[in-house]
């Protein structure tokens, strides 16, 4: 890795830190503007709603302080990598998020790899069969999956494959009550992963398929491709070495930008399939009015998006050496 690349990455990390700080402050005010009182939620769960108990809870978690002071405490702790304590679980926010993070990374990673592989493959086939039956089938299927709401698709998949056919488990990450180990545990997690990962990945598969198809058709009409064909190069080599490599540039850019969006889609998917990740954790924290936990999940998600964008820029330069990294 060159010195210029290292300088570029260092500069982007500094800019990313500033962006994350701004996002954290914005999220702080956004969450405080939402209706609801965490003290009332906690008091209701405890079965006590008198005003004295509510005041004690507000004092315990600093909710009785002015908003600017709460912001100052939050930012000060955040700069020390301290995200606070959850209101309900009474444990560090960072520890709770990291406990759920592997499940989310497994789900989103599998969905991302599946969508990218199937999307590019479908796009290549559609471009090769341009204006033919297979092109129409792939285009229509991509349009359907693109327009179908994710939560509806998830529920229909659970009903059909789990309830009706009984092929796949419909909820959780592992079979409840079975202490599996080794390969059996891997198989069990894999079976539980199929439905949520496929459901989450279908929308992005449709996006990548349409993008790859369009990009390949446009690239195949360029002069350097016509020159390669005129020299007698094999069609398969022209497709892989000239058309596909250049057509993947916009797909790589889009994939990097949408990698962070998988976290947003994971909220619905994890909720429907009871997948124990940070998406479901964020959904639960929202109903519990757990400000610290919500802010922690938002911050970690934002950091992942910034990191994905940086990795995308570096990969973009690897795919296309003509592009140089600069500040």
């Amino acid at each position: 890795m060159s010195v210029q690349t290292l300088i570029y990455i260092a500069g982007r990390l500094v800019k990313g830190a500033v962006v994350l700080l701004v996002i954290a402050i914005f999220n702080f005010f956004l969450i405080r503007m939402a209706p609801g009182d965490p003290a009332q939620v906690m008091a209701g769960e405890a079965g006590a709603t008198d005003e004295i108990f509510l005041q004690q809870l507000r004092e315990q978690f600093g909710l009785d302080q002015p908003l600017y002071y709460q912001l100052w405490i939050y930012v000060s702790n955040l700069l020390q990598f301290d995200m606070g304590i959850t209101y309900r679980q009474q444990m560090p926010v960072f520890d709770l998020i990291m406990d759920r993070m592997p499940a989310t990374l497994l789900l989103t990673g599998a969905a991302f790899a599946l969508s990218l592989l199937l999307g590019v493959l479908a796009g290549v086939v559609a471009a090769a069969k341009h204006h033919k039956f297979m092109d129409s089938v792939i285009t229509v299927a991509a349009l359907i999956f693109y327009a179908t709401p994710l939560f509806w698709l998830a529920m229909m998949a659970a009903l059909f494959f789990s309830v009706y056919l009984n092929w796949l488990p419909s909820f959780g990450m592992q079979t409840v009550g079975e202490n599996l180990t080794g390969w059996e545990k891997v198989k069990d997690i894999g079976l539980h992963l199929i439905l949520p990962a496929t459901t989450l990945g279908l929308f992005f598969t449709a996006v990548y398929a349409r993008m790859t198809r369009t990009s390949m058709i446009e690239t195949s009409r360029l002069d350097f491709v016509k020159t390669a064909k005129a020299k007698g190069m094999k069609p398969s080599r022209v497709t892989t070495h000239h058309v596909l490599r250049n057509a993947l540039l916009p797909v790589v850019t889009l994939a990097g930008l949408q990698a962070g969006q998988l976290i947003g889609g994971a909220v619905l998917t994890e909720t429907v399939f009871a997948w124990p990740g940070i998406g479901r954790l964020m959904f639960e924290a929202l109903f519990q009015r757990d400000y610290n936990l919500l802010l922690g999940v938002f911050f970690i998600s934002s950091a992942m998006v910034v990191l994905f964008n940086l990795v995308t820029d570096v990969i973009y330069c690897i795919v296309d050496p003509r592009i140089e990294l600069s500040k």
Side-chain angles (χ1 to χ4, degrees):
M1 187 176 292
S2 64
V3 176
Q4 182 183 6
T5 303
L6 292 175
I7 294 176
Y8 171 80
I9 293 176
R12 283 292 301 271
L13 289 175
V14 172
K15 294 178 182 178
V18 175
V19 170
L20 287 177
L21 182 59
V22 174
I23 291 175
I25 295 174
F26 176 78
N27 286 336
F28 177 87
F29 286 108
L30 187 65
I31 291 177
R32 290 307 195 280
M33 290 171 60
D37 184 359
Q40 291 183 348
V41 174
M42 289 184 285
E45 292 177 350
T49 57
D50 60 280
E51 191 61 34
I52 297 178
F53 184 65
L54 288 175
Q55 184 61 29
Q56 291 175 346
L57 287 175
R58 294 190 181 101
E59 292 176 357
Q60 178 181 352
F61 295 104
L63 298 173
D64 60 328
Q65 301 294 331
L67 192 59
Y68 68 87
Y69 184 77
Q70 294 184 42
L71 175 62
W72 169 255
I73 296 298
Y74 170 68
V75 174
S76 300
N77 291 336
L78 193 61
L79 293 176
Q80 302 175 35
F81 303 101
D82 180 9
M83 298 182 182
I85 304 295
T86 62
Y87 295 160
R88 185 175 183 182
Q89 288 88 348
Q90 291 293 294
M91 64 179 296
V93 170
F94 184 79
D95 293 347
L96 182 57
I97 294 176
M98 289 299 105
D99 184 57
R100 299 287 191 97
M101 182 62 75
T104 294
L105 290 179
L106 177 63
L107 173 60
T108 55
F112 181 74
L114 179 68
S115 62
L116 195 58
L117 178 63
L118 293 181
V120 171
L121 181 61
V124 170
V125 173
K129 304 294 183 180
H130 188 41
H131 288 320
K132 295 182 180 179
F133 176 74
M134 185 57 67
D135 180 25
S136 300
V137 171
I138 293 176
T139 302
V140 171
L143 183 61
I144 291 174
F145 288 127
Y146 181 80
T148 304
L150 181 60
F151 71 90
W152 185 88
L153 188 63
M155 289 188 293
M156 292 302 103
L159 286 174
F160 185 73
F161 291 103
S162 297
V163 179
Y164 182 70
L165 296 178
N166 197 27
W167 286 358
L168 297 167
S170 59
F171 66 91
M173 187 175 175
Q174 300 181 54
T175 303
V176 179
E178 295 188 13
N179 297 320
L180 301 176
T181 58
W183 178 243
E184 293 298 324
K185 182 177 181 180
V186 174
K187 284 176 58 179
D188 187 50
I189 294 176
L191 287 174
H192 284 79
L193 180 64
I194 292 176
L195 278 182
T198 304
T199 302
L200 181 58
L202 280 177
F203 170 82
F204 297 97
T205 298
V207 175
Y208 300 145
R210 289 162 60 90
M211 176 67 74
T212 304
R213 174 187 177 276
T214 303
S215 184
M216 286 198 65
I217 292 174
E218 293 177 353
T219 305
S220 64
R221 295 170 180 169
L222 298 178
D223 291 338
F224 73 92
V225 177
K226 296 178 181 178
T227 302
K229 292 179 179 179
K231 289 181 178 180
M233 188 176 293
K234 293 181 180 180
S236 59
R237 185 174 177 82
V238 172
T239 300
T240 56
H241 285 71
H242 293 277
V243 179
L244 181 58
R245 181 170 183 177
N246 289 275
L248 282 179
L249 295 178
V251 179
V252 170
T253 303
L254 184 64
L257 294 175
Q258 291 188 330
Q261 296 180 13
L262 284 168
I263 301 296
V267 176
L268 295 174
T269 307
E270 290 180 2
T271 301
V272 173
F273 292 104
W275 188 265
I278 63 173
R280 187 182 176 198
L281 183 66
M282 178 166 50
F283 182 78
E284 295 170 353
L286 178 64
F287 279 92
Q288 296 165 5
R289 299 298 189 272
D290 197 329
Y291 291 162
N292 287 341
L293 185 54
L294 272 174
L295 288 171
V297 174
F298 288 162
F299 182 81
I300 295 296
S301 302
S302 302
M304 292 175 65
V305 172
V306 171
L307 180 61
F308 286 147
N309 289 340
L310 175 59
V311 172
T312 301
D313 288 342
V314 176
I315 293 177
Y316 202 82
C317 295
I318 295 175
V319 175
D320 189 356
R322 297 170 298 178
I323 299 176
E324 295 182 357
L325 294 174
S326 62
K327 294 183 180 181

